[in-house]
Amino acid sequence: MEFRAEIDVMPLKALLDPQGKAVGASLKNMGLGVITNVRIGKHITLSIEAANEEEATAKVDKACKDLLHNPIMEYYTFKIEKA
Amino acid sequence: MEFRAEIDVMPLKALLDPQGKAVGASLKNMGLGVITNVRIGKHITLSIEAANEEEATAKVDKACKDLLHNPIMEYYTFKIEKA
């Protein structure tokens, strides 16, 4: 069965996000000062072939843990749905 | 009223995504060959102060159009909810 996963990898909330700060400052200069708390991470989409949703979830979790996120600086969330 | 926006900026579907290809190849080497079609973009979260949801949506759309995405290579989607 084929599943689609959508993964977000974001900088840990306790850490400063310099890229987000820079974008926040640029938005302010553009007259969009109502926008604050900008944080920027990665969005990853992928397809996965698995027997069921539990197996797909386990594989995606392994991919996140072992390759896609750096636990020192980032956390991840994902959702899976049938393709 | 305060709103939260979650924005995804992804490489256009018609374009090759070299970063996604590289991650897909690494996953295969790690024994996760069941994962395919990896595409990697940006995930942006932000807070926005606006009178109502329509105004918040308009401001976030302007931010995406004018700063956050490069229309030649990327498309964006977002959702807004009350903070």
PDB file of all heavy atoms in Angstrom, chain B residues 56-75:
ATOM      1  N   ALA B  56      -5.634  38.667   8.053  1.00  0.00           N
ATOM      2  CA  ALA B  56      -4.440  37.857   8.319  1.00  0.00           C
ATOM      3  C   ALA B  56      -4.033  37.089   7.072  1.00  0.00           C
ATOM      4  O   ALA B  56      -2.851  37.040   6.700  1.00  0.00           O
ATOM      5  CB  ALA B  56      -4.707  36.902   9.482  1.00  0.00           C
ATOM      6  N   THR B  57      -5.015  36.497   6.393  1.00  0.00           N
ATOM      7  CA  THR B  57      -4.734  35.737   5.172  1.00  0.00           C
ATOM      8  C   THR B  57      -4.105  36.633   4.107  1.00  0.00           C
ATOM      9  O   THR B  57      -3.127  36.246   3.456  1.00  0.00           O
ATOM     10  CB  THR B  57      -6.040  35.107   4.634  1.00  0.00           C
ATOM     11  OG1 THR B  57      -6.599  34.287   5.663  1.00  0.00           O
ATOM     12  CG2 THR B  57      -5.775  34.253   3.407  1.00  0.00           C
ATOM     13  N   ALA B  58      -4.648  37.839   3.957  1.00  0.00           N
ATOM     14  CA  ALA B  58      -4.122  38.758   2.946  1.00  0.00           C
ATOM     15  C   ALA B  58      -2.676  39.132   3.248  1.00  0.00           C
ATOM     16  O   ALA B  58      -1.823  39.162   2.349  1.00  0.00           O
ATOM     17  CB  ALA B  58      -4.997  40.008   2.877  1.00  0.00           C
ATOM     18  N   LYS B  59      -2.363  39.377   4.525  1.00  0.00           N
ATOM     19  CA  LYS B  59      -0.988  39.777   4.896  1.00  0.00           C
ATOM     20  C   LYS B  59      -0.008  38.617   4.675  1.00  0.00           C
ATOM     21  O   LYS B  59       1.109  38.817   4.194  1.00  0.00           O
ATOM     22  CB  LYS B  59      -0.944  40.183   6.379  1.00  0.00           C
ATOM     23  CG  LYS B  59      -1.838  41.371   6.704  1.00  0.00           C
ATOM     24  CD  LYS B  59      -1.064  42.651   6.855  1.00  0.00           C
ATOM     25  CE  LYS B  59      -2.002  43.747   7.340  1.00  0.00           C
ATOM     26  NZ  LYS B  59      -1.530  45.083   7.041  1.00  0.00           N
ATOM     27  N   VAL B  60      -0.430  37.426   5.063  1.00  0.00           N
ATOM     28  CA  VAL B  60       0.465  36.277   4.895  1.00  0.00           C
ATOM     29  C   VAL B  60       0.685  36.008   3.407  1.00  0.00           C
ATOM     30  O   VAL B  60       1.802  35.718   2.970  1.00  0.00           O
ATOM     31  CB  VAL B  60      -0.093  35.026   5.612  1.00  0.00           C
ATOM     32  CG1 VAL B  60       0.716  33.785   5.263  1.00  0.00           C
ATOM     33  CG2 VAL B  60      -0.083  35.245   7.123  1.00  0.00           C
ATOM     34  N   ASP B  61      -0.371  36.150   2.620  1.00  0.00           N
ATOM     35  CA  ASP B  61      -0.232  35.948   1.181  1.00  0.00           C
ATOM     36  C   ASP B  61       0.746  36.958   0.594  1.00  0.00           C
ATOM     37  O   ASP B  61       1.593  36.608  -0.235  1.00  0.00           O
ATOM     38  CB  ASP B  61      -1.612  36.075   0.515  1.00  0.00           C
ATOM     39  CG  ASP B  61      -1.637  35.426  -0.844  1.00  0.00           C
ATOM     40  OD1 ASP B  61      -1.309  34.224  -0.931  1.00  0.00           O
ATOM     41  OD2 ASP B  61      -1.947  36.119  -1.832  1.00  0.00           O
ATOM     42  N   LYS B  62       0.644  38.206   1.055  1.00  0.00           N
ATOM     43  CA  LYS B  62       1.572  39.239   0.580  1.00  0.00           C
ATOM     44  C   LYS B  62       3.010  38.889   0.980  1.00  0.00           C
ATOM     45  O   LYS B  62       3.942  39.036   0.168  1.00  0.00           O
ATOM     46  CB  LYS B  62       1.165  40.601   1.156  1.00  0.00           C
ATOM     47  CG  LYS B  62       2.031  41.753   0.657  1.00  0.00           C
ATOM     48  CD  LYS B  62       1.460  43.099   1.073  1.00  0.00           C
ATOM     49  CE  LYS B  62       2.514  44.220   0.954  1.00  0.00           C
ATOM     50  NZ  LYS B  62       3.118  44.322  -0.381  1.00  0.00           N
ATOM     51  N   ALA B  63       3.203  38.436   2.223  1.00  0.00           N
ATOM     52  CA  ALA B  63       4.545  38.062   2.680  1.00  0.00           C
ATOM     53  C   ALA B  63       5.117  36.934   1.810  1.00  0.00           C
ATOM     54  O   ALA B  63       6.283  36.969   1.416  1.00  0.00           O
ATOM     55  CB  ALA B  63       4.500  37.631   4.147  1.00  0.00           C
ATOM     56  N   CYS B  64       4.262  35.945   1.492  1.00  0.00           N
ATOM     57  CA  CYS B  64       4.723  34.826   0.655  1.00  0.00           C
ATOM     58  C   CYS B  64       5.109  35.319  -0.729  1.00  0.00           C
ATOM     59  O   CYS B  64       6.159  34.975  -1.261  1.00  0.00           O
ATOM     60  CB  CYS B  64       3.621  33.771   0.526  1.00  0.00           C
ATOM     61  SG  CYS B  64       3.341  32.842   2.037  1.00  0.00           S
ATOM     62  N   LYS B  65       4.208  36.126  -1.329  1.00  0.00           N
ATOM     63  CA  LYS B  65       4.424  36.610  -2.701  1.00  0.00           C
ATOM     64  C   LYS B  65       5.673  37.469  -2.801  1.00  0.00           C
ATOM     65  O   LYS B  65       6.455  37.333  -3.729  1.00  0.00           O
ATOM     66  CB  LYS B  65       3.223  37.465  -3.139  1.00  0.00           C
ATOM     67  CG  LYS B  65       2.054  36.651  -3.623  1.00  0.00           C
ATOM     68  CD  LYS B  65       1.351  37.371  -4.798  1.00  0.00           C
ATOM     69  CE  LYS B  65       0.294  36.473  -5.378  1.00  0.00           C
ATOM     70  NZ  LYS B  65      -0.754  36.140  -4.388  1.00  0.00           N
ATOM     71  N   ASP B  66       5.836  38.411  -1.842  1.00  0.00           N
ATOM     72  CA  ASP B  66       6.867  39.431  -1.984  1.00  0.00           C
ATOM     73  C   ASP B  66       8.215  39.029  -1.399  1.00  0.00           C
ATOM     74  O   ASP B  66       9.229  39.625  -1.732  1.00  0.00           O
ATOM     75  CB  ASP B  66       6.409  40.734  -1.317  1.00  0.00           C
ATOM     76  CG  ASP B  66       5.212  41.350  -2.038  1.00  0.00           C
ATOM     77  OD1 ASP B  66       4.838  40.816  -3.100  1.00  0.00           O
ATOM     78  OD2 ASP B  66       4.662  42.345  -1.548  1.00  0.00           O
ATOM     79  N   LEU B  67       8.227  38.060  -0.491  1.00  0.00           N
ATOM     80  CA  LEU B  67       9.513  37.748   0.152  1.00  0.00           C
ATOM     81  C   LEU B  67       9.818  36.256   0.269  1.00  0.00           C
ATOM     82  O   LEU B  67      10.937  35.832   0.018  1.00  0.00           O
ATOM     83  CB  LEU B  67       9.548  38.373   1.558  1.00  0.00           C
ATOM     84  CG  LEU B  67      10.872  38.186   2.316  1.00  0.00           C
ATOM     85  CD1 LEU B  67      11.977  39.003   1.679  1.00  0.00           C
ATOM     86  CD2 LEU B  67      10.731  38.552   3.788  1.00  0.00           C
ATOM     87  N   LEU B  68       8.832  35.474   0.658  1.00  0.00           N
ATOM     88  CA  LEU B  68       9.155  34.123   1.125  1.00  0.00           C
ATOM     89  C   LEU B  68       9.333  33.089   0.018  1.00  0.00           C
ATOM     90  O   LEU B  68       9.991  32.077   0.232  1.00  0.00           O
ATOM     91  CB  LEU B  68       8.096  33.636   2.121  1.00  0.00           C
ATOM     92  CG  LEU B  68       7.953  34.497   3.381  1.00  0.00           C
ATOM     93  CD1 LEU B  68       6.790  34.017   4.228  1.00  0.00           C
ATOM     94  CD2 LEU B  68       9.233  34.455   4.193  1.00  0.00           C
ATOM     95  N   HIS B  69       8.721  33.322  -1.141  1.00  0.00           N
ATOM     96  CA  HIS B  69       8.882  32.299  -2.174  1.00  0.00           C
ATOM     97  C   HIS B  69       9.393  32.916  -3.467  1.00  0.00           C
ATOM     98  O   HIS B  69       9.172  34.088  -3.756  1.00  0.00           O
ATOM     99  CB  HIS B  69       7.588  31.506  -2.371  1.00  0.00           C
ATOM    100  CG  HIS B  69       6.758  31.919  -3.541  1.00  0.00           C
ATOM    101  ND1 HIS B  69       6.206  33.162  -3.655  1.00  0.00           N
ATOM    102  CD2 HIS B  69       6.383  31.244  -4.657  1.00  0.00           C
ATOM    103  CE1 HIS B  69       5.519  33.227  -4.789  1.00  0.00           C
ATOM    104  NE2 HIS B  69       5.611  32.094  -5.412  1.00  0.00           N
ATOM    105  N   ASN B  70      10.126  32.096  -4.199  1.00  0.00           N
ATOM    106  CA  ASN B  70      10.662  32.485  -5.495  1.00  0.00           C
ATOM    107  C   ASN B  70       9.779  31.820  -6.551  1.00  0.00           C
ATOM    108  O   ASN B  70       9.871  30.606  -6.749  1.00  0.00           O
ATOM    109  CB  ASN B  70      12.110  31.992  -5.592  1.00  0.00           C
ATOM    110  CG  ASN B  70      12.662  32.099  -7.001  1.00  0.00           C
ATOM    111  OD1 ASN B  70      11.974  32.559  -7.912  1.00  0.00           O
ATOM    112  ND2 ASN B  70      13.898  31.678  -7.170  1.00  0.00           N
ATOM    113  N   PRO B  71       8.919  32.605  -7.245  1.00  0.00           N
ATOM    114  CA  PRO B  71       7.918  31.997  -8.117  1.00  0.00           C
ATOM    115  C   PRO B  71       8.504  31.216  -9.298  1.00  0.00           C
ATOM    116  O   PRO B  71       7.820  30.389  -9.895  1.00  0.00           O
ATOM    117  CB  PRO B  71       7.101  33.196  -8.603  1.00  0.00           C
ATOM    118  CG  PRO B  71       7.966  34.377  -8.395  1.00  0.00           C
ATOM    119  CD  PRO B  71       8.851  34.077  -7.225  1.00  0.00           C
ATOM    120  N   ILE B  72       9.761  31.464  -9.608  1.00  0.00           N
ATOM    121  CA  ILE B  72      10.389  30.747 -10.728  1.00  0.00           C
ATOM    122  C   ILE B  72      10.661  29.292 -10.348  1.00  0.00           C
ATOM    123  O   ILE B  72      10.608  28.397 -11.180  1.00  0.00           O
ATOM    124  CB  ILE B  72      11.689  31.458 -11.159  1.00  0.00           C
ATOM    125  CG1 ILE B  72      11.334  32.849 -11.661  1.00  0.00           C
ATOM    126  CG2 ILE B  72      12.427  30.671 -12.229  1.00  0.00           C
ATOM    127  CD1 ILE B  72      12.512  33.723 -11.963  1.00  0.00           C
ATOM    128  N   MET B  73      10.918  29.060  -9.078  1.00  0.00           N
ATOM    129  CA  MET B  73      11.311  27.721  -8.644  1.00  0.00           C
ATOM    130  C   MET B  73      10.384  27.093  -7.614  1.00  0.00           C
ATOM    131  O   MET B  73      10.507  25.906  -7.332  1.00  0.00           O
ATOM    132  CB  MET B  73      12.716  27.765  -8.036  1.00  0.00           C
ATOM    133  CG  MET B  73      13.774  28.253  -9.001  1.00  0.00           C
ATOM    134  SD  MET B  73      15.394  28.296  -8.209  1.00  0.00           S
ATOM    135  CE  MET B  73      15.595  26.583  -7.773  1.00  0.00           C
ATOM    136  N   GLU B  74       9.519  27.893  -7.004  1.00  0.00           N
ATOM    137  CA  GLU B  74       8.780  27.392  -5.843  1.00  0.00           C
ATOM    138  C   GLU B  74       7.295  27.760  -5.888  1.00  0.00           C
ATOM    139  O   GLU B  74       6.907  28.712  -6.562  1.00  0.00           O
ATOM    140  CB  GLU B  74       9.382  27.992  -4.557  1.00  0.00           C
ATOM    141  CG  GLU B  74      10.813  27.578  -4.303  1.00  0.00           C
ATOM    142  CD  GLU B  74      11.487  28.411  -3.212  1.00  0.00           C
ATOM    143  OE1 GLU B  74      11.170  29.624  -3.090  1.00  0.00           O
ATOM    144  OE2 GLU B  74      12.330  27.881  -2.500  1.00  0.00           O
ATOM    145  N   TYR B  75       6.494  26.988  -5.170  1.00  0.00           N
ATOM    146  CA  TYR B  75       5.105  27.396  -4.915  1.00  0.00           C
ATOM    147  C   TYR B  75       4.884  27.324  -3.407  1.00  0.00           C
ATOM    148  O   TYR B  75       5.688  26.711  -2.692  1.00  0.00           O
ATOM    149  CB  TYR B  75       4.115  26.485  -5.658  1.00  0.00           C
ATOM    150  CG  TYR B  75       4.029  25.074  -5.132  1.00  0.00           C
ATOM    151  CD1 TYR B  75       3.035  24.696  -4.235  1.00  0.00           C
ATOM    152  CD2 TYR B  75       4.956  24.105  -5.525  1.00  0.00           C
ATOM    153  CE1 TYR B  75       2.972  23.394  -3.739  1.00  0.00           C
ATOM    154  CE2 TYR B  75       4.892  22.811  -5.039  1.00  0.00           C
ATOM    155  CZ  TYR B  75       3.901  22.463  -4.152  1.00  0.00           C
ATOM    156  OH  TYR B  75       3.836  21.184  -3.653  1.00  0.00           O
TER     157      TYR B  75
END
